[in-house]
Amino acid sequence: MKAEHSLAQLCAAFDVKRSGYQAWAKAGPSARQQADAALLPKIRAVFDRHKGRYGAPRIQAELAGAGARHGGKRIA
């Protein structure tokens, strides 16, 4: 999309300031995204250990038993 339209046109179309877009583009992942990235291997390990039979509620319960308390929607 950026090849077809200039940054100024895109910002105007979405009612976003250029400086705000540039700050967003330069910023790294949020704390929540970093925490989710750290949680994903733990979820996959439980899922793989149980041969894909565990869903979010069971994975959540197992992680909670290990001390990692997270909501079911986040696990899902």
Side-chain angles (χ1 to χ4, degrees), residues 5-44:
H5 306 287
S6 70
L7 181 59
Q9 289 174 326
L10 291 171
C11 287
F14 291 107
D15 195 28
V16 175
K17 302 253 187 223
R18 282 179 55 138
S19 61
Y21 167 77
Q22 290 170 342
W24 171 81
K26 191 189 308 185
S30 68
R32 178 67 175 228
Q33 289 172 326
Q34 292 174 0
D36 285 348
L39 179 61
L40 187 58
K42 296 175 186 177
I43 293 170
R44 287 201 173 139

